[in-house]
Amino acid sequence: MALLYRLQPRRLQPERPLHSMTSAPLKSNRLVTLDVLRGVAVIGIVFMNIFFFSMPSAAYFNPRAWGGLETMDVSLWALSFIFIEDKMRGLFALLFGASVLLLLDKDAGNHPMRGHYSRMGALLILGFAHSIFLANNEILRLYALCGVILPLLAKLSARTLLIISVILLALHMAVGSYIGYHWLWVYFEVLAGNSSAEPIEAMERALGAYAPALDAQIERHLGSYEALIAARLPKPLSLGIVAIVMLPITLSTMIFGMALFRSGFLTATWKPKRYARVAGISFAISGTVLAALAAWAVQSGFHAVVIAFNTFVWSAPFDMLMTYGWAAALLWLVKTWRASPAIAWVAAAGRMALSNYVLTSVLLGFIFFGYGLGLYSAIGRSQAYLYALVPIAAMLAWSKPWLDHFHYGPFEWLWRSLATFKRQPLRKPR
């Protein structure tokens, strides 16, 4: 709480627009700070999702499952666990909550709730399409479901929003601990030689080096596109299960973003020194704890039970604190270097975050899956980060030139058109 002092609603002052590499400024009615943070988030998410595309999904959490246990591989896993994993997705969720408030305020007096729920319905459709035709690790469906709840909290103060966020975070940790405590108990009993490992084999099948599961995923992703689509077709309760598991923590992060927006934090109304102080404290506290959890995972030999608890339960509050630190550090950077051309290019990538998210799935699917180059399971963890640079370079290269000629990214345009039931103008007048 001490890091979030003075979280009070205030009148937001218009922000001076960032200038692009040309003489024309970015539109002054956009909050460029949100675009920059969203740009960093969509870039950072590539370093997470690369493992879902390039190797069996357990490798995302556990290098023992796939990807290698060489010193470099383990070091990269640890750095990702501390600084990237769930932090970039958290930053994206935080900005989603802030954007909901921004759009509700913008639509005030013009049926804001109708417009919001129409946007969420369109996002849900896009999410289902993405999960079937491109990748089933997508988050758009979950965001659309969370978006149903967020407007109900729109009138609350920053401090009240923060309290609700903390309660949901505690709920996530309590439920996770309750569901998995028996696995952890058996894990320690096995270490003491007092129990058989059989009760925790289910966790190993999900998050460990379980050969049948790994082989099945490799065969599926190196098969035909038609077979891959058939495997992705939603099962009746899959979306509900994901929502039950992930809804509290995702909502917590989004509501935290709403609180930060109400406080003026996300609109760069704080002084640079304050952002730097928040970033330093947040990184110091969360980095220390997350490094300790990473060390425990390494010491355990990346045991599936340890990976599960570290990833889904105990890291959660420190992931959120690290996300807060990332946001503060980036806002300090924007306040300090706001005239830099690099800021404008990252902001453009953020304005087209949905299109760049889809672009990432298209490019990585072609590189790794059987209908493309078929490199799935053929590279290690260190190499995967090099391949992640491909979509990152693409989104930085095309976003600003595209926006020089068009109002929106192609999928932002599609989202707006679906939500309004009307074809929106795309090309800017010459």
Side-chain angles (χ1 to χ4, degrees):
M1 285 287 189
L3 292 176
L4 300 169
Y5 61 95
R6 298 179 187 175
L7 278 182
Q8 297 290 346
R10 64 188 69 177
R11 186 180 299 276
L12 300 178
Q13 300 299 321
E15 189 184 50
R16 290 167 52 196
L18 286 174
H19 285 70
S20 65
M21 292 184 71
T22 67
S23 59
L26 295 177
K27 285 188 176 181
S28 59
N29 63 343
R30 288 194 65 89
L31 290 173
V32 177
T33 54
L34 298 187
D35 289 334
V36 173
L37 267 63
R38 196 178 291 111
V40 172
V42 76
I43 290 170
I45 285 174
V46 179
F47 289 111
M48 299 165 52
N49 286 348
I50 186 68
F51 298 106
F52 276 118
F53 282 92
S54 62
M55 55 190 71
S57 58
Y60 177 92
F61 309 102
N62 190 345
R64 180 171 61 84
W66 202 274
L69 288 173
E70 299 296 327
T71 301
M72 177 62 74
D73 297 317
V74 173
S75 299
L76 289 172
W77 169 85
L79 289 172
S80 178
F81 178 80
I82 296 169
F83 294 107
I84 298 176
E85 183 184 319
D86 282 333
K87 288 73 176 176
M88 294 299 104
R89 184 167 54 240
L91 187 59
F92 214 79
L94 183 148
L95 293 166
F96 187 86
S99 297
V100 166
L101 277 186
L102 180 64
L103 290 174
L104 287 174
D105 290 346
K106 180 181 177 181
D107 293 342
N110 188 31
H111 304 293
M113 300 296 275
R114 180 190 302 171
H116 171 79
Y117 286 116
S118 181
R119 286 191 292 271
M120 293 304 102
L123 186 63
L124 187 63
I125 293 171
L126 292 174
F128 271 111
H130 181 274
S131 68
I132 294 171
F133 296 108
L134 292 175
N136 61 356
N137 63 313
E138 64 92 34
I139 56 175
L140 302 180
R141 293 172 295 173
L142 178 61
Y143 279 30
L145 293 178
C146 290
V148 173
I149 300 172
L150 295 180
L152 306 179
L153 311 174
K155 300 298 183 181
L156 300 179
S157 70
R159 193 175 298 277
T160 303
L161 289 167
L162 177 61
I163 291 171
I164 295 173
S165 174
V166 171
I167 291 172
L168 287 169
L169 176 61
L171 176 64
H172 168 82
M173 296 188 68
V175 171
S177 298
Y178 176 77
I179 292 174
Y181 80 94
H182 64 284
W183 279 308
L184 188 65
W185 176 265
V186 173
Y187 168 73
F188 285 117
E189 287 290 295
V190 170
L191 287 182
N194 299 327
S195 176
S196 165
E198 184 177 351
I200 54 178
E201 288 180 357
M203 193 70 76
E204 176 68 16
R205 289 193 292 271
L207 296 175
Y210 183 65
L214 300 178
D215 292 342
Q217 289 190 51
I218 293 171
E219 181 180 1
R220 181 166 65 249
H221 287 91
L222 291 178
S224 68
Y225 183 59
E226 293 77 10
L228 196 55
I229 289 179
R232 289 172 180 161
L233 288 174
K235 295 179 175 59
L237 297 178
S238 61
L239 183 57
I241 293 172
V242 169
I244 291 171
V245 173
M246 297 300 296
L247 196 67
I249 187 63
T250 306
L251 266 178
S252 175
T253 310
M254 290 180 177
I255 294 169
F256 185 33
M258 295 169 73
L260 294 179
F261 182 81
R262 283 280 182 244
S263 74
F265 173 91
L266 287 177
T267 53
T269 59
W270 292 12
K271 295 181 179 179
K273 287 184 178 179
R274 189 175 177 191
Y275 285 117
R277 182 168 60 251
V278 167
I281 295 173
S282 299
F283 275 102
I285 295 173
S286 58
T288 299
V289 176
L290 291 170
L293 293 177
W296 181 32
V298 174
Q299 185 275 331
S300 74
F302 293 100
H303 195 285
V305 170
V306 176
I307 291 293
F309 266 84
N310 282 355
T311 301
F312 299 112
V313 184
W314 289 326
S315 69
F318 305 100
D319 289 338
M320 189 174 292
L321 184 58
M322 179 70 76
T323 298
Y324 184 44
W326 268 112
L330 292 168
L331 288 165
W332 172 84
L333 189 66
V334 171
K335 295 278 283 189
T336 306
W337 300 96
R338 60 183 298 121
S340 168
I343 295 292
W345 285 81
V346 174
R351 285 183 62 185
M352 292 174 51
L354 178 58
S355 295
N356 284 322
Y357 179 71
V358 174
L359 171 69
T360 297
S361 297
V362 171
L363 291 177
L364 294 183
F366 175 76
I367 291 171
F368 293 107
F369 295 161
Y371 57 79
L373 301 181
L375 295 181
Y376 190 86
S377 75
I379 63 172
R381 185 167 293 268
S382 304
Q383 294 170 295
Y385 284 109
L386 296 178
Y387 282 95
L389 299 178
V390 174
I392 291 172
M395 66 177 71
L396 288 174
W398 86 301
S399 297
K400 188 177 179 302
W402 176 277
L403 290 173
D404 287 341
H405 298 91
F406 300 95
H407 292 291
Y408 321 108
F411 281 89
E412 284 77 12
W413 170 83
L414 178 60
W415 185 12
R416 287 172 178 262
S417 297
L418 287 173
T420 57
F421 303 99
K422 181 180 179 182
R423 187 179 184 277
Q424 297 295 302
L426 180 59
R427 182 178 289 275
K428 292 179 178 179
R430 295 180 179 179

